[in-house]
Amino acid sequence: MDKSSALEYINQMFPTESSLSGVEPLMQKIHSEIRRVDAGILAAVRQQSNSGTKAKEDLAAATHAVEELMYKIREIKTKAEQSETMVQEICRDIKKLDFAKKHVTTTITALHRLTMLVSAVEQLQVMASKRQYKEAAAQLEAVNQLCGHFEAYRDVPKITELREKFKNIKQILKSHVFSDFSSLGTGKESEETNLLQHLSDACLVVDALEASVREELVKNFCHRELTSYQQIFEGAELAKLDKTERRYAWIKRRLRTNEEIWKIFPPAWHVSYLLCIQFCKLTRTQLVEILDNLKEKPDVGTLLLALQRTLEFEEELAEKFGGGTRKKEAGSDIEDTDKGESNGQTVSDIRRKYEKKLVAHHKSGSEDMDRQKDSVATGAGFNFHGIISSCFEPHLTVYVELEEKTLMESLEKLVQEETWDIEEGGQTNILSSSMQVFLIIRRSLKRCSALTKKQTLLNLFKVFQRILRAYAAKLFARLPKGGTGIVAAATGTDGQIRTSDRDEKVICYIVNTAEYCHKTSGELAENVSKIIDPQLAEKVDMSEVQDEFSVVITKALITLVNGLETKFDAEMAAMTRVPWGTLESVGDQSEYVNAINSILSTSIPVLGSLLTPIYFQFFLDKLAASLAPRFYQNIYKCKHIPETGAQQMLLDTQAIKTILLDIPALGRQQSTSASNYSKFVSREMSKAEALLKVILSPVDSVEDTYRALLPEGTPLEFQRILELKGLKKADQQSILDDFNKHGSGIRQPSAALTVVSAAPIATSTPVVSNSASAGAIASREDVLTRAAALGRGAATTGFKRFLALTEAAKDRKDGPFRKLFNA
């Protein structure tokens, strides 16, 4: 215990004075406990002293025991070495006897085999001299096995002598066999009944000899068989391209007539197979020589017939010898598609069927590859396809030229017979000539793919590209053209495109046809790339042709827009002839607006029903981008426009804007980009509204209104506005001087403009001072408010009529007339 704990303990034991009487008994108790603890400590010390002595004694005993153990181990090791030495002495003589026995046994076996080898070689020599091939074949096998046992004794003179003798015997057998086989095919086999059996036994001898002997024998046999073929078809009479079929007939006849005789050859030799390979190589050499020596281009019919017969022969060989890997004709899928087209199917059905055929063709190719892996080709698995026919490849340009000529003539005929109209009840809006063009192309592809899939097919594909380009040019040429010449220049119609209702339909048909050709040409390229040699597949590309059809589509749609623009010429001219200065009141929309609405109501529904949504939207964008700015510029062409005339023109502007916004619904097509079209129309037409509001503004504020509503305007346009307002030259000049003094443009934040785009226009006129700019911007809200209120404060008798016409539109939050009443 520390001091504080001791004090606490004493205070706890003796809290009061009366408790001090117990101090003496407590002291006695503590002394007694001290004596007990001392006694325990003493006993523990004494016990620890005794334990240390005993531990030393135990350690000494353990050390002594280990020393005794080590002594015994060394003694055992010594006795083991003595025992091993004794055993080796005992077994030394036994090992010598064992080796002696082994050597004697080996010697006896070798001598026995040597005796057998000597005897076998002598017997084989006798058999060889007597041409006993069947027995000699078995004896050869035995001698070969015996010679194998003496490979380690090649340096022994007797073994060397025997091996040399055996070699000579084999050479004798080889010469006898070759001599006997030279009589095969000479007619002796029919005279000597045992000749075939004798030669069959000789084949056993050849098999027992080296493999090179069999190869040499078969090679000599093939050469002897083809010697007559070479002599026959190298003559002037048969060395012609039109006699190619007779070559194949000769080898077929030879194989058929000698089939029984050639059964003497073991099946593993594949004599017929090797003979056909040599025949193909020789035939190719002769055909190459014939083709190269032609003085003129070969006749296409003769050339194709020879190639067709060659392909058929190669296919027969491939099937006969189990190496057939030729795929199904690539034109089968095209043929099915052609049948579908001739039965009057829709283009979409034809296209879906064509795509399915492409997938099926790909799968069939994979299955053929699997079958090729599973089938074991005869012999070395030689591929007969192309071994002869490939020599025709460099000379097929005449065929490609003929195909191109035929396709071009067919194209011209189809275009001449084209009615440029769609049959009633037809489910498509494309020209029939386009389907016929792809039909004749697919038939041409089928013919060529049946003959070759190499460079000629690629050349024919390039012909297809030229045919499709020519068809695209035909479509392009059919589009209506602008007026040219002296008469057109004199009448002011030079370059203008005038289209009738039928012309508009034809243009839509051309757009749809070009789209069909664009997609189908891509499918055609994909099909050809799957058929053609893989090394040439990357050169198959229709992107340039597709680009030309895209050009046709774009040109057709622009022509459609230009045609409608030409129809608006009379209405735009009528607008400028309206006596705006003499109008007494605001009435209904003008006649030229009704005429524009009539033109669009007539054309748009037809165009919407014929064009696809994407092209119809493109047409609408181009039309809006043309008509809205043209209407804006046409306002400047008008003469004096007083306040009443400006209000009437403002009403007409809103009407035209509404007409343009209703065009998508008029064409019965709603697309996701219709909202973008509406925003574009609203933005462009709002420029015309802003221009009219500037004309309506009072003279003292016209400059500020022009800057606020038309920040992109030029001084020339501002001067024209002053002329439209009917100001005198002197008044115009003072306003123009002030306008030029403060700069022709005002830079304003885009958020401040509600009518036109706020993109600032850089000008070459001096920029106003900072204070002037600040003042102009500060007064912007007042200017806009007054410009918007022009229609409300005009004291004209016809304005009540104007309000009545637009009252229904006031409830619309974003209607075209609402902006006139927004303060």
Side-chain angles (χ1 to χ4, degrees), residues 331-619:
S332 61
D333 54 343
I334 304 173
E335 181 181 3
D336 293 340
T337 304
D338 297 342
K339 291 179 181 178
E341 290 178 348
S342 62
N343 291 334
Q345 290 182 323
T346 64
V347 176
S348 58
D349 293 338
I350 295 171
R351 188 176 298 163
R352 285 194 296 269
K353 188 172 183 179
Y354 189 52
E355 291 172 351
K356 291 179 181 178
K357 290 296 180 181
L358 288 177
V359 175
H361 175 79
H362 179 69
K363 291 182 178 179
S364 65
S366 301
E367 292 174 359
D368 290 339
M369 292 295 290
D370 295 338
R371 284 198 296 270
Q372 179 182 358
K373 294 178 181 178
D374 296 337
S375 64
V376 179
T378 305
F382 186 81
N383 184 14
F384 284 98
H385 294 120
I387 185 174
I388 304 175
S389 58
S390 58
C391 71
F392 289 89
E393 194 72 28
H395 304 276
L396 289 176
T397 53
V398 290
Y399 162 68
V400 176
E401 292 171 358
L402 178 63
E403 284 285 356
E404 182 172 9
K405 180 181 177 182
T406 304
L407 290 174
M408 280 295 183
E409 292 175 353
S410 300
L411 175 63
E412 292 293 337
K413 183 179 179 182
L414 289 173
V415 174
Q416 290 175 3
E417 296 175 353
E418 180 59 67
T419 61
W420 303 100
D421 199 358
I422 303 300
E423 297 180 0
E424 294 184 3
Q427 300 180 0
T428 61
N429 292 321
I430 65 174
L431 300 173
S432 61
S433 58
S434 62
M435 291 185 286
Q436 295 299 321
V437 167
F438 281 100
L439 179 61
I440 60 176
I441 285 177
R442 287 167 185 157
R443 288 174 178 170
S444 176
L445 175 61
K446 177 186 175 183
R447 290 192 295 269
C448 183
S449 60
L451 299 175
T452 176
K453 295 181 176 64
K454 297 187 180 297
Q455 184 63 38
T456 301
L457 182 58
L458 180 62
N459 295 339
L460 185 63
F461 176 76
K462 294 178 181 178
V463 171
F464 296 160
Q465 290 178 320
R466 292 193 288 273
I467 295 297
L468 292 175
R469 286 196 185 97
Y471 186 65
K474 299 290 185 183
L475 296 178
F476 192 92
R478 183 59 180 81
L479 294 173
K481 302 294 189 298
T484 57
I486 300 176
V487 176
T491 57
T493 60
D494 189 12
Q496 291 185 350
I497 299 176
R498 298 187 178 277
T499 57
S500 62
D501 293 342
R502 185 178 186 278
D503 289 336
E504 291 178 353
K505 289 184 178 181
V506 171
I507 293 173
C508 293
Y509 296 150
I510 290 176
V511 170
N512 296 332
T513 301
E515 180 193 12
Y516 165 76
C517 294
H518 182 281
K519 183 173 183 179
T520 311
S521 59
E523 295 171 352
L524 176 65
E526 183 181 356
N527 189 24
V528 174
S529 64
K530 293 180 179 179
I531 297 172
I532 202 168
D533 188 284
Q535 297 178 352
L536 302 174
E538 61 181 10
K539 297 182 180 179
V540 177
D541 184 22
M542 275 285 188
S543 58
E544 294 183 0
V545 175
Q546 290 177 312
D547 291 342
E548 295 201 18
F549 283 112
S550 298
V551 170
V552 173
I553 294 172
T554 304
K555 177 61 177 177
L557 293 173
I558 293 177
T559 302
L560 203 58
V561 173
N562 293 338
L564 277 179
E565 284 182 352
T566 305
K567 290 184 178 181
F568 294 145
D569 287 348
E571 282 63 39
M572 291 299 173
M575 175 183 172
T576 59
R577 291 194 297 267
V578 173
W580 302 105
T582 61
L583 291 179
E584 296 180 356
S585 62
V586 179
D588 293 334
Q589 60 190 28
S590 303
E591 286 301 323
Y592 74 89
V593 177
N594 294 331
I596 291 175
N597 187 27
S598 176
I599 293 173
L600 294 176
S601 300
T602 302
S603 299
I604 295 301
V606 176
L607 302 181
S609 63
L610 295 179
L611 293 177
T612 58
I614 184 172
Y615 294 128
F616 183 69
Q617 186 61 46
F618 178 84
F619 163 75

Side-chain angles (χ1 to χ4, degrees), residues 138-283:
Q139 195 70 9
L140 272 173
E141 294 289 344
V143 174
N144 283 328
Q145 291 182 6
L146 290 172
C147 286
H149 294 294
F150 292 95
E151 285 295 328
Y153 307 103
R154 298 175 68 92
D155 297 334
V156 177
K158 182 61 176 178
I159 300 300
T160 303
E161 180 184 351
L162 286 173
R163 292 177 67 87
E164 190 65 27
K165 186 177 182 180
F166 179 51
K167 182 178 180 180
N168 293 333
I169 294 173
K170 290 195 292 184
Q171 193 63 34
I172 293 172
L173 283 172
K174 176 183 175 182
S175 61
H176 288 343
V177 169
F178 277 54
S179 175
D180 292 344
F181 267 100
S182 63
S183 61
L184 184 63
T186 59
K188 291 184 178 180
E189 57 271 10
S190 58
E191 299 175 0
E192 302 179 12
T193 56
N194 295 329
L195 179 60
L196 294 180
Q197 182 60 42
H198 186 67
L199 294 178
S200 178
D201 295 340
C203 292
L204 300 177
V205 173
V206 175
D207 276 335
L209 296 173
E210 291 80 5
S212 59
V213 176
R214 183 185 67 185
E215 295 175 0
E216 184 179 354
L217 177 63
V218 174
K219 184 178 180 180
N220 290 342
F221 169 76
C222 294
H223 178 72
R224 190 167 58 253
E225 286 290 326
L226 295 177
T227 299
S228 59
Y229 166 77
Q230 190 170 5
Q231 294 173 352
I232 293 172
F233 288 95
E234 279 185 350
E237 182 179 354
L238 295 179
K240 297 179 181 179
L241 195 61
D242 56 354
K243 306 297 182 182
T244 304
E245 187 175 3
R246 296 185 62 178
R247 296 173 177 269
Y248 309 135
W250 182 90
I251 189 65
K252 292 177 187 178
R253 184 170 57 254
R254 194 71 177 168
L255 290 172
R256 185 172 56 255
T257 55
N258 294 324
E259 183 177 4
E260 292 297 326
I261 298 175
W262 292 350
K263 285 184 178 180
I264 61 173
F265 297 109
W269 287 21
H270 313 301
V271 174
S272 300
Y273 170 76
L274 297 174
L275 176 64
C276 290
I277 292 177
Q278 295 300 322
F279 170 82
C280 291
K281 292 180 179 180
L282 180 58
T283 302

